[in-house]
């Protein structure tokens, strides 16, 4: 792909109109990348109840095709428990969705710079495509879970790669990325809930969503305007030597544009970080990673451990439909707060963590003592839960980008992405005993 100069690379070459146009293209590009990258992940969580219903139907004696389709779409007869539990917690799908992501985020930041960005994006699109196909066409739950794992690999590698990619552009693309990931939650959960409730089978719904990986490729290769310093098809080590003094001279010539918020490759030209330097960066990131991890532990403990237990038999929606719309409202809250970076910035991340823990404690008590009168109140609480989670995510990465030195920023953005995945994985593990306890009361 031909490399085109961006606003960051050499601002002097652009008129104000062209510069603003390029900024909008990059913002829109990152919005779409965030949408496409998280889409499969969100859809798999929204489909968790249906995937487990499919397992239940397959365990029944000699099911017919008609009853199999009915059970896949969800009824309200999982067992005799007052919580109408699935035999396996939705946390099983959550763990399949997050553990590969967690492994990638723990180790990839140390070696991922050896893989060019163009190849990473192609790999992510292939993994997402494979995921949708496997889950939609599977004849057994283990194949569906394998498809979920492919979605996790795509999402995990994509997230750390695209967060690192933001350092090559003006900082406002972080707002586009955050808003896009929030949009993935709403679009994924809403489309899955809406299409299945409209009568389409979950299988057909997932096949329709194959357009998403294709949109990711279009966004990256045709919408973004990358700077010449972006290692598109070359490894980072090659780019360090290629940028050299010419890039520095371009940055010096454009010094009068310093008013723009941007992250430049100036310091990166001194060479890659050593392993010791990377460990030092990680130590400085702990003040961001711990609050982010706690927020996501609390909210995914709610989402995958408690939501399926917050069942109201006399509500006009079935159990499966209640679960889907809980997920949809939660994702809408995430979208709103992840799109708020241009309006409000929150530095006190620990406050968001504590509020989310209060949410989890409240809903755990509600499951145990069943004092909430209606599903409408639960819908309001999960909307608020999404607002807290989205705000924690986008503000964490904004302040990491702002407070980290230029040379360390690309690695820091990738390494810090482990925070939410670690919290989600721990939440999935904690959800299993909770599910077992309540379902066998």
């Amino acid at each position: 792909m031909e490399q085109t100069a961006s606003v960051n690379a050499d601002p002097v070459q652009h008129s104000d109109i062209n510069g603003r146009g390029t900024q909008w293209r990059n913002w829109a590009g990152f919005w779409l990348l965030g949408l496409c990258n998280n889409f499969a992940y969100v859809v798999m969580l929204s489909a968790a109840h249906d995937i487990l219903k499919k397992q239940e139907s397959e365990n029944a004696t000699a099911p017919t095709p008609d009853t199999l389709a009915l059970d896949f779409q969800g009824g309200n007869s999982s067992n005799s428990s007052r919580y109408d539990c699935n035999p396996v917690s939705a946390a099983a799908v959550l763990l399949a969705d997050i553990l590969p992501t967690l492994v990638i985020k723990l180790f990839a930041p140390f070696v991922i710079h050896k893989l060019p960005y163009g190849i990473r994006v192609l790999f992510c699109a292939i993994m997402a495509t494979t995921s949708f196909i496997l889950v939609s066409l599977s004849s057994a739950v283990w194949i569906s879970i394998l498809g979920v794992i492919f979605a996790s690999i795509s999402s995990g590698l994509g997230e750390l790669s695209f967060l690192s990619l933001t350092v090559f552009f003006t900082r406002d693309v972080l707002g586009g990325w955050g808003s896009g990931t929030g949009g993935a939650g709403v679009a994924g959960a809403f489309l899955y809930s809406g299409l299945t409730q409209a009568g389409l089978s979950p299988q057909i719904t997932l096949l329709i969503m194959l357009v998403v990986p294709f949109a990711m490729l279009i966004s990256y290769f045709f919408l973004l305007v990358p700077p010449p310093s972006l290692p598109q098809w070359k490894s980072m080590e090659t780019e360090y030597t290629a940028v050299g003094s010419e890039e520095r001279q371009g940055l010096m010539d454009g010094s009068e544009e310093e008013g723009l918020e941007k992250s430049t490759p100036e310091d990166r030209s001194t060479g890659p970080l050593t392993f010791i330097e990377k460990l030092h960066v990680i130590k400085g990131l702990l003040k961001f990673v711990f609050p982010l991890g706690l927020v996501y532990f609390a909210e995914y403990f709610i989402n995958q451990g408690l939501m399926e237990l917050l069942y109201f038999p006399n509500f006009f929606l079935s159990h499966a439909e209640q679960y889907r719309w809980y997920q949809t409202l939660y994702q809408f809250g995430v979208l709103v707060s992840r799109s708020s970076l241009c309006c409000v910035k929150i530095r006190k991340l620990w406050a968001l963590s504590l509020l989310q823990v209060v949410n989890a404690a409240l809903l755990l008590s509600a499951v145990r003592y069943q004092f909430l009168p209606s599903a409408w109140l639960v819908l309001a609480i999960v909307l608020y839960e999404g607002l807290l989670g989205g705000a924690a995510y986008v503000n964490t990465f904004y302040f990491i980008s702002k407070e980290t030195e230029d040379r360390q920023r690309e690695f820091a953005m990738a390494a810090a992405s482990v925070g939410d995945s670690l919290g989600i994985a721990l939440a999935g593990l904690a959800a299993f005993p909770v599910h077992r306890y309540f379902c066998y009361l």
Side-chain angles (χ1 to χ4, degrees):
M1 172 182 172
E2 181 182 350
Q3 300 288 352
T4 307
S6 73
V7 176
N8 264 0
D10 192 356
V12 176
Q13 294 179 3
H14 295 271
S15 66
D16 289 341
I17 295 178
N18 288 337
R20 285 196 297 270
T22 300
Q23 284 183 298
W24 274 108
R25 279 186 62 180
N26 289 333
W27 193 96
F30 273 95
W31 190 91
L32 284 171
L33 289 173
L35 177 76
C36 296
N37 186 72
N38 283 29
F39 197 88
Y41 171 84
V42 170
V43 167
M44 295 309 163
L45 292 186
S46 296
H49 197 279
D50 290 335
I51 291 172
L52 297 174
K53 280 290 181 183
K54 185 178 181 183
Q55 180 187 54
E56 181 185 358
S57 68
E58 287 170 351
N59 289 337
T61 303
T64 66
D66 289 339
T67 58
L68 181 61
L70 177 63
D71 287 343
F72 191 96
Q73 294 183 44
N76 286 338
S77 57
S78 296
N79 60 21
S80 59
S81 166
R82 62 181 178 178
Y83 297 104
D84 187 38
C85 298
N86 280 304
V88 181
S89 169
V93 178
L94 174 65
L95 287 175
D97 217 356
I98 200 61
L99 288 180
T101 291
L102 178 61
V103 172
I104 289 172
K105 289 182 178 181
L106 281 172
F107 299 105
F110 293 94
V111 297
I112 197 65
H113 60 278
K114 298 179 183 294
L115 193 64
Y117 279 98
I119 295 177
R120 298 188 215 178
V121 176
L122 287 173
F123 181 78
C124 290
I126 292 171
M127 289 291 101
T129 301
T130 305
S131 169
F132 284 126
I133 292 174
L134 281 178
V135 175
S136 63
L137 302 180
S138 69
S139 58
V141 170
W142 72 266
I143 299 178
S144 296
I145 297 298
L146 182 62
V148 173
I149 291 172
F150 279 115
S152 178
I153 293 171
S154 172
S155 176
L157 180 61
E159 183 176 14
L160 69 88
S161 295
F162 293 131
L163 282 170
S164 297
L165 186 67
T166 62
V167 308
F168 292 91
F169 299 84
T170 55
R171 193 168 287 125
D172 61 353
V173 300
L174 273 172
W177 166 263
S179 179
T181 56
V186 173
F190 181 80
L191 284 176
Y192 185 83
S193 299
L195 291 175
T196 52
Q197 195 161 335
L200 289 179
S201 69
Q203 297 96 324
I204 298 300
T205 300
L206 291 173
L207 287 175
I208 291 172
M209 294 176 181
L210 282 171
V211 68
V212 174
F214 179 73
M216 173 188 287
L217 297 177
I218 297 297
S219 304
Y220 180 79
F221 289 108
F222 297 100
L223 187 55
L224 289 184
V225 184
S229 58
L230 178 65
Q232 184 75 279
W233 299 112
K234 299 178 181 179
S235 66
M236 188 64 80
E237 285 91 343
T238 304
E239 289 298 320
Y240 283 131
T241 59
V243 173
S245 60
E246 181 180 348
E247 186 71 22
R248 283 203 192 91
Q249 185 62 46
L251 291 167
M252 292 172 63
D253 292 342
S255 59
E256 64 270 19
E257 301 288 337
E258 288 180 357
L260 289 174
E261 267 195 322
K262 59 194 177 186
S263 51
T264 69
E266 180 176 10
D267 288 337
R268 290 198 304 275
S269 63
T270 60
L273 296 172
T274 65
F275 182 75
I276 299 300
E277 287 175 319
K278 289 179 179 180
L279 293 180
H280 179 73
V281 172
I282 290 174
K283 182 179 178 181
L285 291 174
L286 295 180
K287 62 184 178 183
F288 297 104
V289 171
F290 282 152
L292 182 64
L294 184 56
V295 166
Y296 273 80
F297 171 81
E299 71 183 80
Y300 275 83
F301 179 76
I302 295 170
N303 291 359
Q304 305 305 119
L306 302 179
M307 274 188 187
E308 63 178 330
L309 302 176
L310 290 164
Y311 168 50
F312 295 84
N314 297 323
F315 202 60
F316 71 94
L317 296 174
S318 70
H319 191 184
E321 290 167 349
Q322 288 179 42
Y323 178 84
R324 292 173 193 155
W325 288 107
Y326 289 156
Q327 294 284 351
T328 301
L329 265 291
Y330 158 77
Q331 296 293 352
F332 181 77
V334 172
L335 170 62
V336 171
S337 57
R338 288 195 182 190
S339 303
S340 67
L341 196 58
C342 60
C343 304
V344 59
K345 298 175 179 62
I346 303 173
R347 184 63 181 82
K348 296 181 179 180
L349 302 174
W350 278 108
L352 300 174
S353 303
L354 294 177
L355 290 173
Q356 198 71 289
V357 170
V358 170
N359 268 350
L362 172 65
L363 291 178
L364 178 61
S365 299
V367 169
R368 177 64 181 89
Y369 299 106
Q370 296 190 315
F371 56 79
L372 294 180
S374 170
W376 290 114
L377 186 56
V378 179
L379 290 169
I381 293 172
V382 298
L383 174 65
Y384 169 62
E385 172 207 348
L387 290 171
L388 292 176
Y393 179 91
V394 73
N395 282 280
T396 293
F397 288 103
Y398 174 81
F399 284 104
I400 289 175
S401 175
K402 187 175 182 180
E403 298 177 12
T404 306
E405 296 178 9
D406 287 353
R407 181 167 171 262
Q408 301 172 348
R409 189 172 297 130
E410 186 177 4
F411 172 77
M413 295 292 279
S417 67
V418 75
D420 59 343
S421 298
L422 182 60
I424 295 170
L426 293 175
L429 293 173
F432 274 111
V434 171
H435 177 274
R436 184 174 180 83
Y437 172 78
F438 286 113
C439 288
Y440 290 94
L441 277 178

